[in-house]
C-alpha cells in the first residue's frame, strides 16, 4: 500500500491528488464508500450520523469525530455517479456560496486490487493542506477497514 501525493496550483485554486492501491476489488471499495453503515465504520463518523442518497443530485451528510473528540457536521450532494467507478461529491463549506468538489475514481488493477484517486481543488493553500490531510486520513481508515475483511 502506498499513497502518492501531487499538490498543484490550478488556475482557479490550489489542488491535490492522492492515489493509493487498495487490496480489495472495485465493488468492495465502492460499497465501503457508498453504504452508510460501512462508511461510518472507517470514515471517523459518529454512529448513526451518516445518510447517503448516492445519485446525481442526491444529498449526503455525516458528523465526523476527530481523535480529540471534537465533532463536525458535514453536508453536501453528489453531482456525478458512475457506479462502481466514479463519484463527484460536492461538500458544503460554511461561509462559502458554492460547495467545494472532490472527485473519486476507482480503477481495477487485477481481480483483487483497486487504485483509488481522490482530487480536490481548494481556494487557498491552507484549505488545500487541511483537505489533503483529511483525505489522507480517510484513505488510511478505508485501507484499515478493507484489510479487516468483509463486514455488514
Amino acid at each position: 500500500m502506498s499513497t502518492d501525493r501531487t499538490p498543484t496550483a490550478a488556475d482557479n485554486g490550489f489542488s491535490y491528488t492522492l492515489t493509493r492501491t487498495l487490496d480489495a476489488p472495485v465493488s468492495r471499495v465502492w460499497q465501503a464508500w457508498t453504504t452508510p453503515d460501512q462508511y461510518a465504520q472507517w470514515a471517523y463518523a459518529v454512529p448513526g450520523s451518516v445518510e447517503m442518497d448516492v445519485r446525481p443530485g442526491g444529498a449526503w451528510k455525516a458528523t465526523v469525530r476527530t481523535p480529540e473528540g471534537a465533532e463536525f457536521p458535514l453536508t453536501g450532494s453528489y453531482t456525478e455517479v458512475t457506479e462502481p467507478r466514479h463519484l463527484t461529491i460536492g461538500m458544503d463549506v460554511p461561509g462559502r456560496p458554492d460547495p467545494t468538489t472532490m472527485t473519486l475514481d476507482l480503477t481495477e488493477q487485477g481481480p483483487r486490487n483497486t487504485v483509488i484517486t481522490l482530487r480536490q481543488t481548494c481556494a487557498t493553500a491552507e484549505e488545500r493542506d487541511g483537505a489533503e490531510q483529511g483525505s489522507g486520513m480517510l484513505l488510511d481508515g478505508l485501507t484499515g477497514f478493507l484489510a479487516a475483511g468483509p463486514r455488514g
Side-chain angles (χ1 to χ4, degrees):
M1 179 231 23
S2 67
T3 301
D4 295 326
R5 292 178 171 86
T6 311
T8 58
D11 292 341
N12 60 345
F14 297 86
S15 300
Y16 70 88
T17 300
L18 296 180
T19 303
R20 186 174 292 188
T21 301
L22 303 169
D23 183 23
V26 165
S27 61
R28 174 117 167 79
V29 178
W30 180 266
Q31 268 191 319
W33 202 282
T34 60
T35 306
D37 62 327
Q38 289 189 32
Y39 184 88
Q41 292 179 51
W42 62 266
Y44 307 95
V46 173
S49 73
V50 180
E51 295 179 20
M52 299 176 160
D53 182 5
V54 185
R55 62 181 175 84
W60 65 268
K61 71 177 186 175
T63 299
V64 174
R65 183 178 294 136
T66 68
E68 296 77 32
E71 294 185 2
F72 298 95
L74 303 174
T75 61
S77 63
Y78 298 95
T79 55
E80 295 176 17
V81 178
T82 307
E83 186 175 344
R85 305 254 181 236
H86 174 82
L87 289 173
T88 300
I89 305 163
M91 296 176 286
D92 298 327
V93 178
R96 195 172 293 158
D98 297 318
T100 185
T101 302
M102 173 191 280
T103 62
L104 174 147
D105 288 296
L106 303 176
T107 306
E108 190 172 67
Q109 194 173 52
R112 289 273 319 145
N113 290 318
T114 299
V115 175
I116 185 170
T117 304
L118 297 178
R119 293 181 185 87
Q120 187 172 352
T121 299
C122 302
T124 66
E126 180 180 61
E127 181 184 318
R128 179 208 52 217
D129 293 347
E132 183 177 9
Q133 180 181 11
S135 292
M137 288 175 60
L138 280 177
L139 289 178
D140 291 346
L142 177 60
T143 300
F145 174 79
L146 294 170
R151 300 185 205 179

